[in-house]
Amino acid sequence: MKLRLISLGLLLFLCGSSLSLAGDPEKGYHVIVDKPLISPYWDQETFDNTWRVWPKDLKELAEKASPEERKRMAYDRYGLTPRPDNPNKPLQYVVGDDGLWTPNCFTCHGGEVAGQVIPGAPNHRYAMQTLADDIRYAKMLMGKRLLKSDYGSAVVPLGGTNGTTNAVMFGVILMAFRDADLNVHSSADFMPTKHHDMDAPAWWNFAAKDYIYCDAFAPKGVKGLMQFALARENGPEKFRGWQEDFENVYAYLESIKAPKYPYEVDKSLAEQGRIAFEKTCARCHGKYGPEEKYPSIVVDIEELGTDPVRYEALSPADRKLYGDSWFNEYNQGAKTVDDPAGYVAPHLAGVWASPPYFHNGSVPTLWHVLNPSERPTVWHRTSGQLDQQRVGLTVKEFARMPPEVTRRDERRNYFDTRNYGKSAAGHDYPDELTPEEKRAVLEYLKTL
């Protein structure tokens, strides 16, 4: 097996990761939910009228519903949830007293786990493309002015399957219009983009990492957290003025803990699973418990065998452009890995609570991760309940996309592993285990 071990040590400490010690986690949470960092995308009136452009059957139900019921239907359609500390507002957007909606980090990183809203959990229901389309159509119906975000979402794909986003390409495009000091320029120079869908990682593993992203190319630091605020109205002075805010955000991310499995666990079976896991899986994913150690192993892409589109989409030049910028201290401290070997074996704390699996979200349950030959070709999430037997999303499986599913918004509820960037192949290592060991490992993974 070709493996690459990433180690930072003192270098990362000196370049800024210790800034979390000066931050306030509670303030960091409120920076995310209360402080708009880019221009708003729409107003409350527009959101309240999205139902008018819904498909006929859903629109008829909404027309008869109360305003509160329509709000619940809209949240369900778009994968939004109430803020735990303020149920009158969505967790995923900053909604000001003026009624203006601005996306925040929880759009992708704030979801539900076993029916409970948990900030930091991957939002596996977020319908980014459907929401953007409905907002655009609602604005046109109401005679409202379209914004750059409305035109942009019609050109750049936002997410082909609900719960995934084209976030990596957002970053590539935004950075292409900046110099190293983050000044905006008009002569973008970037290779043709490879649009693809990604599954958001769980934030509760942030503290265990030295490098971030699924290819572990970027050193973890305060400034790098700001990069998705690269709207053209934000110049270098704004980013530098946000330093204290993002020290608090960094501290908040470091403070998040993995949720505990809320159901019964067979402790004897889980102990058998720990032994099998440490024999086979720990060499890449690390050990857990009192002697926990996460090695940040990057596995060669050919050895791993999972979908390579994300790996290929971010070029060495793209990684270097980010690394040489203010976001990464101009590469004067911990340097970016411009040509990584493949994907990093993720930290597995709370893995039961972060379905679907793989970097592209192609595998719906941990049972399917452990049984590669049983992974479905097409699957559809059927409820918000956790599948306690297979540990993950409750889904219905198909050999192909059902022919009766024709609307684009409806098709986004289905994950088709035959599509570009969506393969569920690879990571066949669990086949080194016996069926009994797989069952035991599945039980053990509930305890992490």
Side-chain angles (χ1 to χ4, degrees), residues 137-433:
Y137 300 147
K139 285 183 178 180
M140 290 189 289
L141 181 69
M142 300 168 70
K144 290 180 177 282
R145 180 172 63 92
L146 296 184
L147 306 177
K148 289 180 181 178
S149 57
D150 300 309
Y151 291 111
S153 63
V155 177
V156 177
L158 305 183
T161 302
N162 293 348
T164 63
T165 68
N166 187 26
V168 173
M169 288 299 99
F170 301 166
V172 169
I173 293 170
L174 293 170
M175 278 300 297
F177 289 95
R178 301 280 175 153
D179 65 16
D181 294 319
L182 306 186
N183 294 298
V184 177
H185 61 78
S186 58
S187 56
D189 182 19
F190 54 90
M191 297 296 290
T193 50
K194 293 186 176 183
H195 296 301
H196 62 285
D197 291 342
M198 286 285 296
D199 180 46
W203 271 354
W204 51 73
N205 290 321
F206 182 80
K209 300 177 181 180
D210 291 335
Y211 276 68
I212 56 176
Y213 303 124
C214 70
D215 55 1
F217 91 91
K220 186 173 71 172
V222 171
K223 293 178 180 178
L225 299 177
M226 306 181 198
Q227 63 182 296
F228 288 106
L230 278 169
R232 292 181 73 86
E233 67 265 21
N234 292 335
E237 66 286 346
K238 282 195 176 180
F239 289 99
R240 285 153 180 77
W242 289 334
Q243 179 80 23
E244 183 177 351
D245 283 334
F246 275 84
E247 289 175 9
N248 292 329
V249 171
Y250 189 104
Y252 171 67
L253 297 184
E254 290 269 296
S255 74
I256 299 175
K257 305 298 182 185
K260 292 184 178 180
Y261 189 73
Y263 306 110
E264 186 176 351
V265 175
D266 185 329
K267 294 182 179 179
S268 175
L269 184 61
E271 175 58 19
Q272 297 174 43
R274 181 191 64 79
I275 295 171
F277 178 91
E278 293 184 356
K279 178 182 71 175
T280 305
C281 312
R283 62 182 181 242
C284 293
H285 292 285
K287 292 185 178 182
Y288 300 84
E291 299 179 359
E292 178 172 326
K293 180 175 176 56
Y294 175 56
S296 292
I297 293 289
V298 174
V299 186
D300 185 273
I301 189 67
E302 293 184 4
E303 164 70 22
L304 186 58
T306 54
D307 194 294
V309 170
R310 160 62 178 82
Y311 174 74
E312 297 166 350
L314 197 58
S315 70
D318 293 328
R319 296 186 183 95
K320 188 175 187 302
L321 178 65
Y322 168 81
D324 289 343
S325 75
W326 178 84
F327 284 138
N328 194 53
E329 305 285 359
Y330 306 101
N331 253 335
Q332 295 303 303
K335 292 178 169 50
T336 52
V337 182
D338 297 337
D339 190 15
Y343 299 132
V344 67
H347 194 278
L348 297 180
V351 67
W352 67 270
S354 59
Y357 301 101
F358 288 7
H359 68 277
N360 58 3
S362 59
V363 182
T365 73
L366 288 174
W367 184 88
H368 289 109
V369 172
L370 293 168
N371 293 274
S373 64
E374 300 298 323
R375 294 170 191 163
T377 302
V378 178
W379 54 268
H380 167 53
R381 182 176 179 271
T382 57
S383 81
Q385 299 302 311
L386 184 77
D387 184 333
Q388 297 180 46
Q389 297 301 313
R390 299 191 295 185
V391 189
L393 302 181
T394 301
V395 300
K396 185 175 182 180
E397 302 177 18
F398 303 86
R400 60 187 179 92
M401 179 67 75
E404 66 274 13
V405 180
T406 57
R407 291 198 328 259
R408 284 184 295 178
D409 64 321
E410 190 177 16
R411 291 178 71 87
R412 294 185 192 116
N413 287 315
Y414 292 76
F415 197 106
D416 190 340
T417 63
R418 299 168 301 177
N419 290 343
Y420 180 74
K422 290 181 171 291
S423 172
H427 192 272
D428 296 331
Y429 311 113
D431 282 340
E432 298 176 20
L433 301 167

